[in-house]
Structures are given as structure tokens and as C-alpha cells.
Amino acid sequence: MTTTFPRTTGPRRLATLRHSAVLARRSLAKTTRNPGPVVNGVVTPALFMVLFLYLFGRPVAGTTADYLQYLFPGILVMGAGLAGMISTGSAINLDLKNGVTDRFRSLPISRTAPLLGSVMADILRYTVAVAVLFGLGALLGFRVRGGVLDALGAAGLAILFGFCLSWVTVYIGVLVKSADAVLAVGFVAFLPLQLGSSLAAPIETLPGWLRAWADVNPVTHVMDACRALLNGTAPAGSVGLTLLWSAALFAVFCPLAVRAYGRQE
């Protein structure tokens, strides 16, 4: 006689999502008490936009108006990455060091839920950062030359890439010994990723050694995709490359982060 057991995969996944949503609300509540990292994630790209615009606008594009049309999509990607990327890794590291994670393990919840909940909260942070940057860009004179759907697509790509990239800092946050180390590693990684790209100038104008890096830098592809969508030009494969990079980052670093988190006994 063969006994058939009911499948529990679906309910377990729903429970994991429900628990993650509760922990996402916890992460957002912590943000309201300590908004510094998120504010910094918005202020830093905004400062880069203003400084680059008035320092390099005329030399690079002839006018600040033309340069803003080039610069803003890159700043949008920068903002979506910074708004929660580093703060997430730091928050998870603090939970590990302060014993909060031990309390989570005593609860009947998935071990993935604390990580997923924190990253889910990032989506809202990214959305707020993108909205603020769009408002600031409009004040400075940026205009969306594509349609509304193209603008939403550009925002969606920036947020998607930021979400997938945040799993890298989640993994770092589980591995390193302190939140300060997460900030240090994140900042060192931020410089070549964000600045060694097509952010401030077309990669054709960069020195050979820097252009070689920018050509393979995934951030370049995201910026080019957002730039094409917002300016109403052909994306030339950059959207597909962005989706591939996002999927690769998630597929590699999400399992690594979950596995490393499970070993933190």
C-alpha cells in the first residue's frame, strides 16, 4: 500500500513570504528611527548630480541642459543602489552581533525570512530614492523624452538591479565581523562599480584601461538601459544585459547569503 503525503511546498512558501513581510515592516520601522543611511543614499547621488552637472556640463556636452539628459539616468541607478544596499548589510550584521538573530531562530519561521524581509524593505527605500531623484532632476531641468511606460521601465530596471545587488552586501554582512567593516567593504566596492562606468561620460571617451573595465561593468549596462529609455533612444541590448546581470547576481549571492546565514550558530 502506498501512502501519499500532501505537498507542503506552497504553504511553506506563503508562510515564508508572510514572515518576511512582517520582518520587512520591522526593518522599515527601524529606518524611521534611524533614517541616516537612507537619507545618505539619496543625498549622495543628489550631490553627485549637482556637482557633475555644473563642473562637467559645459566641457562634456556644451550645455548643462544637454549634460543633464545624459547624467540623470546614471544618477538614478546610483540612487537605487545606495538607498538601501549598504544599510541592509550593516543591519543584518548588527542583528547577528546583538543576539537578535538568535531570537529569530527560536521562532517557527524560515531562516530565509530575516534576510528576505530586510531586502524587501529595500524595495520601498529604492522607490522613495528614485521618486526623490526624479523630482530633483525635474527641478534642474531634466525631461523624460520617452513615454510614461519608458520612464516606469527605467525606474523598474534601476530598482530591480539595486534589489539584486543588495544580496551582495547581505552576504558580506553575514561574513564580516562588524557593521563598520560592511560599510568599508561596501564603499570600496561602490567606487569602481558606480564611477568606473558610463555615469559621467560616454565610455568611448575614457582611457583604454578604464574603458576596458567600463565595458564589462554591469552598472554601465544598467545606466545605458535607463538612459535609452528615458531619452527615447534604442537600448541596443542594454535592457537584456541588465536583466541577465540582475538574474546572475541574485542566483549567485542569494543562496550564498542564505547558506552563510544558516551557518551562523
Side-chain angles (χ1 to χ4, degrees):
M1 178 178 179
T2 302
T3 303
T4 302
F5 294 95
R7 295 181 63 183
T8 59
T9 301
R12 285 179 180 175
R13 288 178 178 174
L14 290 176
T16 298
L17 290 176
R18 186 172 65 253
H19 299 154
S20 299
V22 172
L23 293 174
R25 289 198 295 271
R26 169 184 176 267
S27 179
L28 293 173
K30 289 171 62 180
T31 299
T32 60
R33 294 192 295 269
N34 181 29
V38 177
V39 172
N40 181 62
V42 177
V43 171
T44 299
L47 287 176
F48 269 103
M49 179 162 59
V50 174
L51 289 174
F52 281 14
L53 179 62
Y54 292 106
L55 284 175
F56 306 129
R58 293 185 184 278
V60 173
T63 66
T64 55
D66 288 339
Y67 187 59
L68 182 61
Q69 292 297 134
Y70 178 86
L71 176 66
F72 177 78
I75 296 295
L76 190 69
V77 175
M78 178 187 288
L82 276 179
M85 183 179 72
I86 296 177
S87 63
T88 296
S90 299
I92 289 171
N93 185 273
L94 287 173
D95 283 347
L96 284 166
K97 301 303 178 265
N98 294 336
V100 177
T101 300
D102 293 331
R103 296 184 63 185
F104 288 155
R105 291 199 180 98
S106 68
L107 300 174
I109 62 174
S110 167
R111 290 195 175 185
T112 308
L115 302 184
L116 184 58
S118 185
V119 179
M120 285 170 63
D122 280 346
I123 296 177
L124 181 58
R125 298 185 185 107
Y126 298 148
T127 303
V128 171
V130 165
V132 171
L133 288 174
F134 262 112
L136 179 59
L139 289 175
L140 292 173
F142 177 78
R143 297 294 179 265
V144 177
R145 293 174 178 171
V148 175
L149 292 179
D150 289 332
L152 292 176
L157 281 178
I159 292 170
L160 173 66
F161 184 76
F163 168 80
C164 295
L165 187 63
S166 67
W167 284 100
V168 179
T169 54
V170 169
Y171 182 50
I172 294 171
V174 174
L175 291 182
V176 302
K177 300 299 183 182
S178 69
D180 290 338
V182 178
L183 294 174
V185 173
F187 184 75
V188 170
F190 161 78
L191 288 177
L193 276 176
Q194 299 285 358
L195 300 183
S197 64
S198 61
L199 170 66
I203 60 175
E204 294 80 8
T205 65
L206 301 178
W209 61 272
L210 186 55
R211 179 178 177 179
W213 162 247
D215 276 332
V216 298
N217 185 353
V219 176
T220 295
H221 303 309
V222 188
M223 290 180 177
D224 288 348
C226 292
R227 189 170 291 120
L229 291 170
L230 291 174
N231 286 301
T233 59
S238 55
V239 172
L241 287 171
T242 297
L243 295 175
L244 286 174
W245 271 111
S246 298
L249 287 169
F250 181 80
V252 172
F253 287 98
C254 177
L256 285 176
V258 171
R259 188 177 299 115
Y261 187 77
R263 292 174 180 170
Q264 297 290 325
E265 299 293 346

